[in-house]
Amino acid sequence: MKYCCAFALALSLTASAEDISPRVGSIEVYGAHKVPVQKIKSAVGIKEGEPLSSREDMEDRIDKISGVLASRVEAACCSQGKMILYVGVEERDSPHFEFHPAPTGDVTLPSELVAKYHTFLDTVADSIRGQNADQDLTNGYSLMADPECRELQEAFIPLVDRDLALIDRVVRESADTEQRTIAAYLLQYAPRAPRPAKVMLDGLQYALQDREDAVRENAMRSLQAVAVGARLHPEQHIHIEPTWFVELMNSVVWSDRHGASLALVDLTDKGDPETLELLRQRALPSVIEMARWHNLTDALPAFVLAGRLAGLQEKEIREAWISGNREPVLEQLANPKKRRRTTKAGVSAGS
């Protein structure tokens, strides 16, 4: 598709967001392979249909469970008008993602760029309310359908070209989280000539290991756009390393997993065997558990990855998804020695 949904854009482009407390529609636990899921849900202390409580309190209770090293609770929108509560845990001996040390520099972006970015966020919020928040990624950077948003994004292009070296320094060195968050978004608008493209890619890959969720999320969003453009414009000779995306599939943070799964769908669109093998070796359990999430929008990227890892054709993956026949595909992936057969309802695993 030329345009893709950008509903969540304004909610996570900056490090801050409004604190809202709607009711919980469903609770998804991930990362729990040894600790009982029900024990984690009990520690959460909220049942489906009840209002959200303090995230810090929930995480404190979960962290006290034996075998849990860390936890993260995030509310995502939406299931039948209610929030989806994603509860991630990191257990002992499970994959652990190492972040860069917190930067301490005082380098900052030009005030002109920061002001334009804040204006852009305000305009995105208006476009969401006006149901005009789709975006075009075919150029390798986001251009939104809303004319005002698009005009602001197009204005980023010459400014990023002018200040690319400084933006790269900010994303690596600035002690200010918001500055790094903005820089991670702006880098996607760098020129595609070899030298600036390398600066862009190196900076965004570096930002994937930032300690702050918002920086990583913007870096993933930018790299996803870059990946779409690179696939459509092979003459740019842009190659995105999948390593950190694969590692983020094991993150305790939901937004890391969600963003990484979207990016990996694009990176494996042509069936890249090396990326798929890395995903199989480093994050197979995470792919399977994410593909089982009840919210279909959040589960779809991981299910596509699961289907590709299981060796299915894209048509088979679509048929299994449309038919609601997810579990046989996931069972085939988890137990590859089982014989696979294709039926009209999709793919099913034989004995």
Side-chain angles (χ1 to χ4, degrees):
M1 286 188 179
K2 182 178 180 182
Y3 287 100
C4 63
C5 179
F7 176 80
L9 189 63
L11 299 182
S12 53
L13 286 173
T14 61
S16 61
E18 292 183 7
D19 182 23
I20 57 174
S21 298
R23 294 186 178 274
V24 174
S26 61
I27 300 174
E28 297 275 8
V29 177
Y30 59 89
H33 304 292
K34 299 175 183 177
V35 179
V37 169
Q38 191 53 51
K39 193 171 186 177
I40 295 169
K41 285 187 174 183
S42 296
V44 169
I46 300 175
K47 296 180 180 179
E48 294 177 3
E50 295 181 348
L52 285 172
S53 62
S54 165
R55 188 188 87 181
E56 290 77 10
D57 290 346
M58 288 186 279
E59 291 173 353
D60 285 344
R61 291 193 295 268
I62 298 169
D63 290 346
K64 292 176 182 177
I65 298 174
S66 177
V68 173
L69 294 182
S71 65
R72 181 61 180 268
V73 178
E74 291 184 72
C77 184
C78 292
S79 175
Q80 298 180 336
K82 297 178 181 178
M83 302 301 288
I84 307 156
L85 196 65
Y86 283 100
V87 181
V89 298
E90 181 180 332
E91 298 177 324
R92 289 190 178 89
D93 301 322
S94 63
H96 176 74
F97 190 84
E98 290 290 343
F99 299 117
H100 292 305
T104 58
D106 58 2
V107 60
T108 59
L109 296 166
S111 57
E112 178 185 10
L113 264 177
V114 175
K116 283 187 178 295
Y117 183 83
H118 286 156
T119 302
F120 168 62
L121 288 187
D122 293 339
T123 309
V124 170
D126 292 338
S127 71
I128 290 174
R129 286 190 288 269
Q131 299 183 346
N132 192 26
D134 288 344
Q135 59 180 337
D136 178 5
L137 304 180
T138 55
N139 292 304
Y141 46 80
S142 171
L143 288 175
M144 296 189 69
D146 181 90
E148 292 185 45
C149 289
R150 191 183 188 97
E151 183 177 354
L152 287 163
Q153 290 173 305
E154 289 172 339
F156 290 147
I157 297 171
L159 296 175
V160 171
D161 186 12
R162 182 193 71 188
D163 297 321
L164 180 58
L166 177 58
I167 296 169
D168 181 57
R169 281 191 62 202
V170 168
V171 86
R172 297 169 183 271
E173 302 174 17
S174 177
D176 188 314
T177 298
E178 185 188 28
Q179 289 278 324
R180 300 199 311 278
T181 302
I182 296 172
Y185 182 77
L186 292 175
L187 278 173
Q188 66 182 295
Y189 296 98
R192 293 315 194 255
R195 182 171 294 180
K198 186 177 188 306
V199 172
M200 171 189 68
L201 289 173
D202 289 349
L204 288 173
Q205 293 277 3
Y206 188 90
L208 287 181
Q209 301 166 74
D210 196 280
R211 302 187 71 83
E212 297 296 333
D213 304 352
V215 180
R216 298 195 304 275
E217 193 166 1
N218 266 7
M220 284 188 280
R221 179 175 289 110
S222 292
L223 279 168
Q224 185 187 1
V226 172
V228 171
R231 187 173 69 245
L232 297 174
H233 303 283
E235 72 279 2
Q236 295 177 354
H237 301 291
I238 288 179
H239 175 70
I240 298 173
E241 291 291 338
T243 303
W244 298 120
F245 285 119
V246 172
E247 295 301 322
L248 285 169
M249 291 289 287
N250 296 316
S251 174
V252 73
V253 180
W254 173 81
S255 58
D256 285 343
R257 290 187 174 219
H258 180 65
S261 66
L262 290 171
L264 286 166
V265 167
D266 287 328
L267 291 176
T268 60
D269 183 60
K270 302 298 183 182
D272 178 6
E274 292 183 3
T275 300
L276 288 173
E277 183 57 27
L278 182 62
L279 193 57
R280 184 189 309 277
Q281 294 297 325
R282 297 292 302 167
L284 183 59
S286 295
V287 171
I288 293 173
E289 69 178 349
M290 291 165 63
R292 285 178 170 141
W293 283 345
H294 293 89
N295 182 271
L296 298 181
T297 301
D298 295 341
L300 177 57
F303 182 76
V304 172
L305 294 174
R308 291 172 182 172
L309 285 168
L312 305 185
Q313 300 298 314
E314 297 298 301
K315 181 180 178 182
E316 293 179 295
I317 297 173
R318 286 194 299 272
E319 289 175 349
W321 178 261
I322 292 171
S323 68
N325 207 19
R326 281 189 279 175
E327 198 55 36
V329 175
L330 301 179
E331 285 294 329
Q332 165 66 22
L333 179 58
N335 302 284
K337 293 184 179 180
K338 286 189 175 182
R339 180 173 57 88
R340 178 170 64 88
R341 65 176 183 271
T342 304
T343 69
K344 291 183 180 180
V347 180
S348 60
S351 57

